[in-house]
Amino acid sequence: MVKQDIQNRADVERLVHTFYGQVRQHPNLGPIFNGIVTNWPEHLERLSDFWEMILLQSGPGKNKFNPLKAHKEVDQKTGQGLSQVHFGNWLELWFTTLDRLFEGKIADHAKEHARNMASILFLRIYEARDN
């Protein structure tokens, strides 16, 4: 199978839907996501908006997202249960999904952005905790 780079909204949706289908089944990530997300179709649409904005600089996502706030809320709802292991699991699935579906400059950017975002989010979440 010849892989191409991420080129449009349909590619972003394919990535997001495939990836989160795996997240929902993952032994560490599934319980967190399935316990927090109450409307998967809406959540997947929102995540597709986010990644379209990041990867293609298009779509309805501009000024619409605050990933830090959202992840801090998840950490609070899980009793400060988010750990580096969760972020590592998430990144591993993200990279595996990208490698299976796409290759190219935008796919590489998706990996780099996710790696940076995961590092920053975990650090900020940890700093915000009541230690």
Side-chain angles (χ1 to χ4, degrees), residues 71-85:
H71 287 82
K72 281 182 180 180
E73 288 172 5
V74 170
D75 190 53
Q76 290 172 350
K77 289 178 182 178
T78 61
Q80 297 183 338
L82 293 184
S83 71
Q84 285 182 308
V85 171

Side-chain angles (χ1 to χ4, degrees), residues 11-128:
D11 289 342
V12 172
E13 288 177 347
R14 181 176 172 220
L15 170 62
V16 167
H17 285 250
T18 302
F19 172 70
Y20 281 97
Q22 295 173 66
V23 165
R24 293 176 74 182
Q25 301 301 315
H26 192 275
N28 290 333
L29 300 175
I32 293 170
F33 279 87
N34 292 319
I36 300 288
V37 177
T38 58
N39 183 335
W40 273 102
E42 180 181 295
H43 192 65
L44 292 171
E45 182 75 18
R46 191 164 167 77
L47 290 168
S48 294
D49 290 349
F50 174 78
W51 284 106
E52 180 183 6
M53 176 190 69
I54 297 299
L55 300 177
L56 303 176
Q57 288 85 48
S58 65
K62 189 172 182 180
N63 300 320
K64 185 176 175 181
F65 300 100
N66 185 341
L68 180 57
K69 180 179 182 246
H71 287 82
K72 281 182 180 180
E73 288 172 5
V74 170
D75 190 53
Q76 290 172 350
K77 289 178 182 178
T78 61
Q80 297 183 338
L82 293 184
S83 71
Q84 285 182 308
V85 171
H86 293 112
F87 283 89
N89 292 154
W90 189 96
L91 281 172
E92 181 180 13
L93 280 178
W94 183 249
F95 279 41
T96 301
T97 305
L98 278 160
D99 287 342
R100 191 171 62 245
L101 300 176
F102 302 102
E103 66 182 8
K105 189 175 181 177
I106 296 173
D108 291 342
H109 176 62
K111 292 177 186 177
E112 188 63 28
H113 187 85
R115 182 184 296 118
N116 292 338
M117 191 171 61
S119 298
I120 291 166
L121 286 174
F122 182 73
L123 178 63
R124 296 292 180 248
I125 287 167
Y126 185 77
E127 289 174 343

